[in-house]
Amino acid sequence: MHVVLDDTAMVAAGRGNILASRLIHRAQAEAGWYLYAPACALVEADRARPGTAEHLAALPGLTLLDLDLAAALALAKENTWAQAHARHAAAPTPERPDGAFIATADPDRWKGQSVRVIDITS
């Protein structure tokens, strides 16, 4: 199971959201669970809730996704870097042929888009 946290999920995790905490725990404790934090979404989450970036970056089960060339080219076509980087990170790759789910505390922002969503609103 591959899960990308969007900026709203990161902020929710920092506020103690139980569903975000469960995803974090599974990524640390269970084989086959992978949790990703796109750098642009991490920046936006830290702007919304200072300290979020440091908190999440310290988690051993979280993989930070850099803004590489492919991601930068995908972001250039979008209005919001955080959302675009999360969408790019969830897209299928040779390592993840089925792509990844996007965990979000704002599922409406993903309506009409070709992504699979995990709603962590509680």
Side-chain angles (χ1 to χ4, degrees):
M1 173 72 95
H2 297 274
V3 180
V4 174
L5 297 174
D6 76 359
D7 56 306
T8 67
M10 293 178 194
V11 170
R15 291 186 175 139
N17 177 286
I18 190 70
L19 298 174
S21 295
R22 286 180 184 164
L23 289 173
I24 292 167
H25 173 74
R26 284 190 168 186
Q28 293 175 7
E30 294 185 31
W33 278 80
Y34 303 94
L35 196 58
Y36 305 96
C40 293
L42 190 62
V43 168
E44 195 61 34
D46 201 68
R47 286 180 179 165
R49 186 175 189 278
T52 299
E54 290 85 2
H55 173 73
L56 291 175
L59 298 173
L62 188 79
T63 300
L64 179 63
L65 300 176
D66 295 329
L67 183 60
D68 60 11
L69 178 59
L73 293 174
L75 268 60
K77 301 172 189 172
E78 301 290 334
N79 292 328
T80 63
W81 286 29
Q83 190 172 348
H85 200 184
R87 184 183 318 103
H88 174 76
T93 65
E95 297 82 27
R96 295 184 309 273
D98 294 328
F101 288 86
I102 295 179
T104 184
D106 184 8
D108 289 339
R109 76 167 22 174
W110 298 104
K111 281 188 178 176
Q113 299 186 43
S114 59
V115 295
R116 297 177 295 165
V117 170
I118 297 173
D119 181 355
I120 64 163
T121 56
S122 50

